[in-house]
Amino acid sequence: MSGENAPAEPNEGEEAAEQQPQEQTQQAWAARRDLDAHAPRSMTFDGTNHGVTAQQVIGDIHHYNFGGYAAAATSGEIPRETLDRLADAFVDEGTDFDSLLARLRHEHVLVLTGDPHTGRRTAALMLLHTLGATPVHSVDRDTKPESLTPGEGCGHVLFDLAVSRTQPLREAQLFAVRDRLREKGSYLVITTAHSPYVEDTVPLATWRPPAPRAVLSALLHRQTDAATADRLLALPATTGFLAREQQLREVVPFAAVLLRADETEILQYSRRALELQVQEWFEEGEDTQHLREKAFLIALAAFDNGPYALTAELSDKLYERLRSTGAGTFNEPIPVFGTHIGKRLQTARAQLSTTVEETEWGQVSQPTAAFKDERVAPILLREVWTGHPAARPALIKWLDQLSTDGRPFVRTRAAATVAVLALTDLPSAMALIIERWAGAKDSRQQLTAVSALTLAHRIHAPNIPRIIDGWSTGDTSAQRCWVAVRAQGLIGPERPVEALAALRAQARLQDAKEHPDQHVVDELPESVALLLLSPAADTALAELLRTLDDHPAVRTLTLKGFLAACSRTDDTPCPPLLSWATRSGSAAPGIARLLRITLGDREHNERAEGVLRDWVRAADRAPDTERALAALLPALATGPREAARLDHLLDTVQGLDGRPQPAAAARLRAGLVLALSDTPADALSRV
């Protein structure tokens, strides 16, 4: 078991809640809207999971040997066998290899720049190998070029020259070594990343790699017949692999995997490459991958495809917590300016795009950052949580802070992150995060716990319905019970019978209490309403009608939940429940029955009449709503008393804000009189 005890000290969100009055809890409808709007791409849901999910990505940890991920020797002679092996796999199609070769032959020293993992190291070796400058000696990266003593008629390569503000690369250094190289008939290739500390006068040579498809195609055609090579290139697994802009160090081994023709290995190769990339990011030392950039990677996994500025802002909050891990105090300020956005996203294998976002103030356009491969985010979160447990305290405090953020997007992504952690390690996620949030005093933290459970269920984390059922049917704390009741409405569309059974059990439990938990009592009908306006509405309605008279508390729950569903408009011309009654011949009688009962019930009559007045006003603005209401009204008048009530309501309904009576009211009243005059009295009594 990996579930530890929750931290004893209160988190920042809980401290804030004790100092400030609790704000009104977000309504269930808004919670479902935020989940649908802000959940990561891998957690989108409309009743059925589609595409890549975290559950599909996070499985057993696989181990796969990619030669390109191993660190090369810092110095010494490179074996001839290694050069021959690289030559067999080297592809220069679409590159400037020939012109670079001509420059090296003439100048004897070449400074080769390029992006990481584009094959510039291999290109350097192949330039020397093609020239016949062998043996090839690898020079320590801290060696100054002017201090190199070249051998006779051989090649030298200086990988990833250490260039800095204090040790820039100057043209004079190259002049000094070039003369000695020419005297010996030798050559030197220096590789380095793009850097502002390379003197402008240094003649740089830029390495632009061949296209991954061209490399894979060339390798396959070298090692098998054309028909087999073309068939392997056309495999869906191959096209999907190449579509994700793989690095060359991943493309070259893939050719061998394809030639082995092991279907399972082919399908799993891409995911294993991602796992190795993520492991490399977090295993690298501070001199290679700064802690601030590792914090950015984690934040990008949490806010994938979210606003870049927000991701960068919150990644520095995480960085602040990570760097103080294990230290009582840490007073070093966070750098205000750091890595350039382009370099940062390139390292993360991410991209920047501009998207239009819906906000409470309307549409806004902003730059968003996203991994090029949407599978990276859940794999990265799993690696951090399970592979680097020392990061857990800082990560938990960061998530606590996000869970009380005023921005729904931030809270939803905090919940989505915890959902992935629950899929990875449910006991720890429950003990360290979700249980604390569910029992917190801060309503935002409770809401984030609801979202975490809901999203965890979407990605098939184990036992989530069992947890929610246990909290919503047992005599647990009021906070956890409220969280579970809200969650029943959100995951209930997949299991409406079980969800409604749990809600009924809690309604009976609250009814038996001398002092019911009013917060829970108020939430129960909201979850029923969510189910009535979900893809499982038909099943939910049948279940409500079946158990209507089981218990007084159950009856009250059904009627309040039904009226809550009736009150929803969702900014549509026709209220959703009224529209459902029109579309579904099987649902219309049940809806009419519940509406008749609420109109005739002393406790619910006033609210039911208010629903009908709102529907009449909506009918005045939308012909479809008027037709739907006209079809429903006759079913509500089962006798003279009910008919008279409806006639009076239609005659007295007023417009909002002092406006005159809706014109639709008179038309609906006349239509009702006409419909009732054509209906025999004995038929009305049987409706």
Side-chain angles (χ1 to χ4, degrees), residues 354-434:
T354 302
T355 59
V356 176
E357 298 270 339
E358 283 289 347
T359 72
E360 57 186 303
W361 306 282
Q363 291 187 340
V364 296
S365 177
Q366 56 186 343
T368 57
F371 289 111
K372 293 178 181 179
D373 190 331
E374 66 187 49
R375 300 172 300 170
V376 172
I379 289 177
L380 189 151
L381 294 174
R382 181 202 66 189
E383 170 66 19
V384 172
W385 187 251
T386 61
H388 304 273
R392 284 189 178 188
L395 184 61
I396 291 169
K397 289 180 181 179
W398 182 65
L399 290 168
D400 285 344
Q401 183 178 5
L402 301 186
S403 70
T404 59
D405 195 282
R407 293 163 287 193
F409 176 80
V410 174
R411 295 197 304 273
T412 302
R413 289 308 185 89
T417 300
V418 174
V420 174
L421 304 186
L423 174 62
T424 303
D425 180 4
L426 181 65
S428 292
M430 289 297 300
L432 297 175
I433 305 175
I434 297 176

Side-chain angles (χ1 to χ4, degrees), residues 7-15 18 397 400 436:
E9 69 275 6
N11 61 61
E12 293 178 358
E14 291 172 337
E15 292 172 350
E18 293 176 358
K397 289 180 181 179
D400 285 344
R436 288 193 304 105

